[in-house]
Amino acid sequence: MTDERELDDGLAAFDQLGREMAETNRLLRAVRSDQATRNQQEHTLSAEMQTALKQATGASQKALQASQTEIRSNLLWTGLTSLLIALTGCGAGYYLGHQSGWEQGQAEGYQKARNQEAAASWANTPAGQRAYGLDRRGSLDLLSLCQGNGWTTERQKGGTVCFPNADAKGNVTGWYLP
């Protein structure tokens, strides 16, 4: 009897194991089916998104081309209008200022000639020749701006005075003289 009972218990356990395996297989099939459905939905959604993306890209490219064409057209008209305004202004300025320009030009030319004559006269003086020599040696700006090493400026009696100062070794620097 014990063998029979053990056999019955073993069969019952085997039967229980079979039912559990059948339930596990059913659940696995359901999971696989759900997974296949999700994969199909994702594939469909991905294809729809790609189609929508292609349509959006095409529409944006068309809009970009249209705006570039409009910008080119606007720039062309703006440039032509600016050119027309500039030509009109030049023509009007030439027409209106022609006569007074001649008169003023003659007066300014005469004044410049007098100024150049005066400058040439000063350049031939000893002071003008010394200034020219300082300029050729690169010292005229240093002298006129008091910018040599060890030189300082002070305000005195409404004017600026340039003074030499000795460095730590007692040396005083200056400018090249002509």
Side-chain angles (χ1 to χ4, degrees), residues 92-151:
Y94 178 78
Y95 178 75
L96 296 174
H98 185 69
Q99 185 61 35
S100 66
W102 273 103
E103 293 169 1
Q104 186 176 1
Q106 288 175 346
E108 286 179 7
Y110 177 73
Q111 184 61 40
K112 284 182 182 178
R114 287 185 61 204
N115 289 345
Q116 287 177 354
E117 183 180 333
S121 292
W122 180 81
N124 288 325
T125 65
Q129 290 173 356
R130 283 191 302 274
Y132 179 70
L134 283 170
D135 189 42
R136 284 186 56 208
R137 291 184 170 261
S139 298
L140 185 60
D141 285 338
L142 292 172
L143 181 63
S144 66
L145 298 173
C146 192
Q147 290 185 341
N149 289 335
W151 291 79

Side-chain angles (χ1 to χ4, degrees), residues 12-29:
F14 189 68
D15 189 38
Q16 178 66 25
L17 181 62
R19 281 191 300 252
E20 288 175 2
M21 286 182 69
E23 180 64 19
T24 301
N25 284 338
R26 186 187 68 76
L27 289 173
L28 282 173
R29 283 191 302 273

